[in-house]
Structures are given as C-alpha cells and as structure tokens.
Amino acid sequence: MCGIVGYIGEEQAAPILLDGLSKLEYRGYDSAGVAVYNGEEIQMVKSMGRLKVLNELTHDGAMLPGTVGIGHTRWATHGVPSDANAHPHLNKTGSIVVVHNGIIENYVKLKQQLTRRGYEFRSETDTEVVAHLLDYYYRGNPLEAITRLMHRLEGSYAFGIMFQDHPDEIYAVRKDSPLIVGHADTGSLIASDVPAVLKYTRSVYFIENGEIVRLTREGMQFYNIDEEEISKEPVTIAWDVNAAEKGGYEHFMLKEMYEQPKVVRDTFSPRLKNGDIVIEELGMTDQEIRDIGKLYIVACGSAYHTGMTCKYVFEGLARIPVEVDLASEFRYRNPILDEKTLVIIVSQSGETADSLAALREVKKRGIRVLGIVNVVGSSIAREADNVMYTWAGPEIAVATTKAYSTQLIAQYLLAMKFAKVRGEISQETLEVMLEDLERLPEQMEMLLSNKERIQRFANRYLAAKDVFFIGRGIDYAISMESSLKLKEISYIHSEAYAAGELKHGTISLIEDGTLVAAVLTQEDLFKKTMSNMVEVKTRGACVLAVTVVGNTEVEKNADYVIYIPKTNQYFTNSLAIIPLQLFAYYVSIGKGCDVDKPRNLAKSVTVE
Ligand code: G6P
C-alpha cells in the first residue's frame, strides 16, 4: 500500500524516481507525485491517476532538473484519490517535503493541535500532519526534528523527507512499514521494495523499526531514535535485474504464470537430497517434529488459500491436526496455543500487516513461528523464528500466480518431511511422491501451452454476471483460489462453494447459462462432485469441468472439459490452478480490464 522512493546522486533525480515508482505501482496506483530540489527550491508535481499521468506531466521527468528528490505512488486510505491528497506533502513554506507509506493513527488529534497553532491543511490525508509537525519541531537540525516527530506519532510509517536548507541530504525513517536503502555507483536510493532499486544496486539495507537514515551522494548513515549513529550490514539480493521487467510479455501476470514451472523447480530442487527432503532452515530436530501437536497456518488472500489446500496435505500425510486462519481474524481471536503448537505464517511480500501482527501475537506467547516467505529480508522473514524461502523471484502483478505456486510447494515439502519423520509414510512412498513432485514443472508447461484453447473458452464468458466454482476437499481449496483470481482481475462476481454445500442455498442462484466450474481431481470424491455437477447442469448451468486425464466420464455432464495430467492426489492443486489462472487472465483482458493493476487493489497490503 503506497510506494515511496528517493534518490540523491550525480544523475538527474526525476527519471530515476519515476522508474522506481513504475516498479512499485503494484503497491497503489490512484495517484502519484514527485518532489525534486532544483538548486533553488523544492519543485513538486503530483496528480491523481496512474503514474503515466505524472510521466506525461513531467515529460518523463525531463522538465524537473535537480539531482535529489523523493516520489510516491498512492493507495488511498485517508482522503479520496485527488491531486490535493496525492503525495508529496509540504509544510506551509514549501521547505519541508514528505512522502509516506502507512497510517498515522493519531492524526486527528495532531491535526487539531496543529490547527490551534495556526497550521492550515490543504489535504484530507493523515500524512499532511507529518509535514506540519516537522515544521513545528524544525530548528535547523533535521535529525532532531525527525526524532521528536517519531515520539509523537502512533501508527505505521515509512517516510522519505527532504529539507530545503539541507539540499544534499534525504532522510528516511520507518516503523511497521517496509523500507530499504541502497548505495549505487551514482548515488543513494530509498524505496519501499527491492524491485525499485534492483537496476542500480543489489546490495541493500533493510531499515528496522525506529531507525533513521541520512542519505547523501556519497553514502549513508544510520541512527536510532536517540540520534546515536548505529552500524548496519547490507544484504545482497540474488534476484535477476530482468526479473522485474516484462521481458516481451504483454502483462506481468502472463509472464509470471509462465515462470511457474521454473520457480516451482527452484523452490523444491535445493531441498531434495538423495531421496530425502532436507530443510536446514527449518531449525527443528526430528524429536521436535515428532512433538508437534498442532499446526496453525495463518495468512491472507491467496496465501491463505495455499493453507486451505495444505491443511489436507498435512493432515492426510503427516496426521497432524491443522487449523487454517485468516491473519486478520487470528490476531484478534485469542487462539489456543501451547508449546506443542507450530504456527506457519505464509506470505509472498513478508510485509502484510495482518500476517505480521499475527506473527508478533504468537511470538509474544513464546510459541514457535515458521515463516514461508518470498521476499528475502522482509519483516516476516526477519521476525519469524525460522524462515523457509519460496524462490519465486519478484512478483509484480497484483494477482499472485507464481508466488502462490511456490507456497504450495514449500508446504508439500514440509508435509512430506513431517510425515516421514513421524513415521506416517515409508521411504518408498516418499520416493514415489518426490518423483511426482519433480514431474510437476514439465506438466505445468504442458498446461500452459494450451492457452489458446482456454482463451477461446474465456471469450465466451466476458459478459458473465456470476460464476461459481465448486469442489470438495483440495478441490474446494482450488475453487477458492480460482474464484478469487477471476473476481479480482475481471470484476465478475464469483463464489467458491464446497460442492456438498450447494444444496444449502447457492443452488438457488443457478439460472440458464450460469457458468459453474467444477473441480474434480480427487479420486475418492469424484463421484460425489459429479453428482453435484449433474444437479447444476439439470438446472441450466453451463459446466466447465477440470479433472484428471482419463476421467472421461465427466464429458457426459460437462459442456467443456480441461484435463490435467496424473499426479499424486495431494499435488493436484499445482496443476489444476494453471488453466483456471489462464481463464481468469483471458476473461480480464477480453473485457479490457487492467489485469496487472486491478481497481482498488494493492499487492502489498501493509495496513490492516
Ligand atoms: C494481496 C495480494 C494477494 C496476496 C495477499 C497476501 O491481497 O493481492 O495476491 O495473496 O495480499 O499477501 P502476502 O504478501 O502476505 O502473500
């Protein structure tokens, strides 16, 4: 939610800021702005709408001279998307400028106090109080003003700040919102996320809560809230520079779907050794694994759906009871945890506010937390007791595809490992399962190569009003993710239903021609879901069936069938999701939607 960038160096700042913002647009895109010191004063341009409006207004940055600046792309929380509410925000004389990611929770009180002191507000944002409060505290020493500000603020923030009378410096500070800084050959950068700086440097510093950075052309210094200088170690990011570019694909989502075979392989292969699964980063002894009494999988969005699937995998294979929780519910429901509980937090970004808060809640109670995270060095990765990385690389499209697929793989590996250590599966069974696992990338490729067929089918449903997805067990979990994919990028109302629940209400919504996608990958549930398929078909539904090759019986009752290759019953999600992702993608582009940046959504949800 919201992306911030900053640059100070030898080059013209504005084009670098705009380029950085283009990499962060997934964090919010209802308005954008930049402020640059032009040698005399701070010059600011901001506008409602996508970044391209700002690019046009500034001629891709060319009309903003100066080598130091900050920028912002917004996902509105306080105040509608508008020019006035867009960041940056200025103090009254225009000599202090701020960009912000996060929410200042006590801004109403601060605004009242500042208004009483004669400050006038030009926007409805919570951020503007920061510019005025800095103005109030500023006596020529930026660090002092910033630390005084920090003592007054409640909520979450990452700021980029410039002071006109310190034109050779940018300040950055963070609490509970992500922030990284890096130094490249031509200058220093700040950003909300790694893709924005990858082109310039792979060596970055992750800023911790309460830390302040002073960036200059030559380098940077770090301070704590007591204004004492501290030292920090950089982290080297292994991501390929081109990974955050479209690379010839029309959309990031399509590119990322096509990367799935590779990133799935990247996630399992380093962990397979001589017919065994080795997850060193798990940090658990075999005895500790045997002692696990209960698992909680806690996450948001699609990551939560991977937990829904893997509940069946962990319970089925390792016979460990699993609860899957939405992080936003878990954090407030006082869950029953004991020393035999292992909590797994699944998150692509590692910054989702609710998932992070859930993690902290668990840690406060002294319970072990394992993070399954994609972004190296992110908050969840740093704060979890142990972290198992998914090697999906940077994911830019708001709707996740490749990160989702790698989250499944990480959990399959854990489930098989736990099952083996607890004596629930034999070495022989494990080896057979690993063979199936290793075949997944090739099978995914085969499904992806079928995209034209799916596109033709999708084009028939561009005008659909409602679409239903049904399935049982893992197929229900697949339905949930497929339904989310479709609704979030195509704006078609869609629901996932456990097929057995249909008769308790949803079936009344089926009309002539309503599309129902039935997922039937689980052999033992095949006949049951088939009956539900027949029930909707009889009531006029058009049925799309997704099933395993050989199940030709479905053809009698389906209007359209997609076959997935045979695999282990626990891995079917990894294959069945591919055509359903493609379906959502083609409906979205067929309708002319902005598939990579769907309305109202942001990829990294850093506010609760
Ligand atoms: C947003 C994204 C989803 C993602 C969810 C959780 O809603 O659009 O794709 O699944 O956040 O994000 P996380 O980074 O924690 O996996």
Side-chain angles (χ1 to χ4, degrees):
M1 314 235 123
C2 299
I4 68 170
V5 291
Y7 172 77
I8 176 163
E10 309 301 329
E11 315 261 326
Q12 191 189 353
I16 295 176
L17 297 175
L18 291 168
D19 177 62
L21 290 177
S22 74
K23 302 291 183 324
L24 297 180
E25 232 192 334
Y26 67 82
R27 304 179 67 86
Y29 29 85
D30 51 45
S31 51
V34 287
V36 175
Y37 178 71
N38 65 12
E40 281 175 18
E41 57 175 4
I42 291 171
Q43 206 181 338
M44 183 170 79
V45 184
K46 55 186 194 173
S47 165
M48 190 176 132
R50 296 286 161 98
L51 188 59
K52 68 175 193 305
V53 181
L54 189 65
N55 278 313
E56 281 159 18
L57 284 173
T58 63
H59 297 192
D60 293 327
M63 54 165 275
L64 286 172
T67 55
V68 48
I70 52 180
H72 189 269
T73 175
R74 180 170 187 244
W75 189 90
T77 56
H78 294 73
V80 295
S82 69
D83 289 356
N85 290 335
H87 298 215
H89 290 283
L90 295 167
N91 67 335
K92 59 177 179 277
T93 57
S95 60
I96 301 175
V97 63
V98 181
V99 288
H100 170 211
N101 168 28
I103 291 182
I104 306 303
E105 286 167 3
N106 59 337
Y107 84 102
V108 174
K109 199 167 124 210
L110 293 170
K111 193 168 176 173
Q112 284 162 355
Q113 290 170 354
L114 287 160
T115 308
R116 279 201 296 276
R117 288 173 185 144
Y119 284 92
E120 283 171 22
F121 283 77
R122 307 174 191 105
S123 76
E124 302 153 308
T125 63
D126 52 334
T127 306
E128 199 183 344
V129 299
V130 176
H132 296 312
L133 207 52
L134 279 171
D135 179 276
Y136 181 70
Y137 288 131
Y138 188 58
R139 304 275 178 276
N141 178 348
L143 203 54
E144 185 202 355
I146 290 170
T147 52
R148 291 187 72 180
L149 168 85
M150 288 162 76
H151 284 295
R152 296 294 311 279
L153 297 181
E154 288 165 22
S156 59
Y157 49 81
F159 297 129
I161 308 170
M162 282 180 359
F163 296 83
Q164 190 167 293
D165 59 357
H166 283 256
D168 299 317
E169 297 170 351
I170 299 181
Y171 286 84
V173 46
R174 147 193 173 136
K175 180 181 163 263
D176 291 340
S177 290
L179 181 67
I180 57 154
V181 296
H183 185 66
D185 291 344
T186 65
S188 307
L189 298 122
I190 64 175
S192 297
D193 198 359
V194 173
V197 303
L198 258 191
K199 203 157 133 186
Y200 311 99
T201 179
R202 296 238 196 126
S203 173
V204 303
Y205 296 87
F206 288 88
I207 306 308
E208 302 284 346
N209 280 347
E211 290 179 352
I212 307 158
V213 197
R214 176 176 166 269
L215 295 100
T216 60
R217 289 187 174 77
E218 296 74 37
M220 51 192 71
Q221 290 91 45
F222 305 96
Y223 301 92
N224 64 19
I225 197 163
D226 297 321
E227 297 177 49
E228 294 160 341
E229 194 164 345
I230 52 173
S231 60
K232 285 182 77 72
E233 286 302 312
V235 175
T236 304
I237 305 293
W239 288 353
D240 175 2
V241 184
N242 298 320
E245 308 287 338
K246 270 192 209 149
Y249 285 89
E250 204 181 334
H251 300 107
F252 277 112
M253 183 175 173
L254 188 64
K255 174 182 177 244
E256 288 161 5
M257 284 191 286
Y258 269 79
E259 284 172 350
Q260 290 181 105
K262 175 183 182 299
V263 297
V264 155
R265 188 179 286 114
D266 289 349
T267 301
F268 69 63
S269 56
R271 289 157 173 144
L272 303 186
K273 294 199 178 113
N274 309 323
D276 202 4
I277 298 170
V278 181
I279 312 173
E280 274 152 18
E281 62 274 38
L282 183 60
M284 289 177 85
T285 62
D286 285 359
Q287 191 52 47
E288 283 171 331
I289 292 174
R290 282 191 281 272
D291 284 346
I292 300 172
K294 186 165 184 176
L295 280 178
Y296 279 85
I297 305 175
V298 182
C300 301
S302 298
Y304 166 76
H305 293 158
T306 68
M308 290 293 293
T309 295
C310 293
K311 172 184 169 70
Y312 297 101
V313 186
F314 279 110
E315 290 190 341
L317 281 176
R319 307 304 298 154
I320 306 174
V322 181
E323 278 200 47
V324 190
D325 266 73
L326 289 164
S328 53
E329 291 293 318
F330 179 88
R331 62 182 289 195
Y332 294 118
R333 81 170 169 88
N334 193 11
I336 300 163
L337 311 170
D338 63 26
E339 71 284 359
K340 287 184 175 269
T341 306
L342 173 65
V343 178
I344 303 178
I345 308 270
V346 187
S347 175
Q348 186 283 127
S349 61
E351 301 292 349
T352 302
D354 284 317
S355 305
L356 186 56
L359 177 151
R360 289 180 180 157
E361 189 58 40
V362 174
K363 280 197 75 179
K364 219 165 44 189
R365 302 212 208 163
I367 306 298
R368 187 194 277 266
V369 184
L370 170 69
I372 295 183
V373 178
N374 193 44
V375 177
V376 174
S378 56
S379 300
I380 294 175
R382 279 176 294 138
E383 293 189 29
D385 293 304
N386 295 89
V387 57
M388 185 174 174
Y389 283 111
T390 52
W391 297 114
E395 193 178 57
I396 310 291
V398 167
T400 178
T401 52
K402 63 171 180 170
Y404 169 86
S405 285
T406 57
Q407 288 164 352
L408 287 174
I409 299 292
Q411 290 171 79
Y412 299 164
L413 289 171
L414 273 179
M416 287 187 281
K417 168 99 197 154
F418 288 177
K420 178 71 201 320
V421 171
R422 293 164 72 102
E424 295 291 346
I425 58 169
S426 64
Q427 178 62 25
E428 238 182 353
T429 309
L430 177 66
E431 282 174 22
V432 174
M433 290 191 81
L434 292 183
E435 277 171 27
D436 280 333
L437 187 78
E438 289 183 283
R439 259 198 298 272
L440 287 176
E442 191 187 307
Q443 294 173 325
M444 292 171 114
E445 253 154 39
M446 200 272 280
L447 288 161
L448 285 162
S449 68
N450 229 345
K451 70 176 194 316
E452 278 82 17
R453 212 178 140 236
I454 296 183
Q455 181 170 21
R456 279 198 297 279
F457 177 75
N459 283 339
R460 288 163 36 192
Y461 288 94
L462 306 185
K465 291 262 172 297
D466 308 282
V467 177
F468 296 92
F469 291 82
I470 60 169
R472 290 168 185 255
I474 285 180
D475 293 336
Y476 172 42
I478 300 171
S479 300
M480 291 172 79
E481 173 61 8
S482 309
S483 166
L484 177 64
K485 277 293 85 88
L486 181 69
K487 78 178 100 177
E488 68 181 336
I489 60 175
S490 75
Y491 317 142
I492 292 176
H493 166 252
S494 150
E495 277 184 56
Y497 247 78
E501 271 292 295
L502 266 180
K503 287 198 279 293
H504 299 286
T506 312
I507 203 160
S508 68
L509 299 171
I510 305 297
E511 292 175 2
D512 247 6
T514 305
L515 178 62
V516 177
V519 187
L520 311 94
T521 71
Q522 302 296 300
E523 212 181 308
D524 52 341
L525 298 168
F526 180 79
K527 290 226 148 48
K528 300 281 171 202
T529 309
M530 260 286 272
S531 314
N532 302 124
M533 223 174 88
V534 176
E535 285 158 11
V536 293
K537 180 90 192 121
T538 329
R539 284 157 181 86
C542 167
V543 175
L544 160 69
V546 180
T547 190
V548 180
V549 70
N551 286 339
T552 46
E553 218 185 312
V554 290
E555 290 182 17
K556 286 197 295 251
N557 297 304
D559 298 273
Y560 194 89
V561 184
I562 297 170
Y563 290 106
I564 63 161
K566 278 202 167 61
T567 185
N568 184 283
Q569 67 175 110
Y570 291 114
F571 303 158
T572 59
N573 188 345
S574 296
L575 300 178
I577 199 62
I578 304 273
L580 293 166
Q581 289 169 343
L582 285 168
F583 173 69
Y585 171 79
Y586 283 118
V587 173
S588 172
I589 60 164
K591 287 185 69 180
C593 302
D594 188 346
V595 68
D596 282 340
K597 299 187 197 91
R599 70 182 177 212
N600 305 338
L601 296 178
K603 183 156 191 72
S604 189
V605 181
T606 52
V607 293
E608 71 168 289

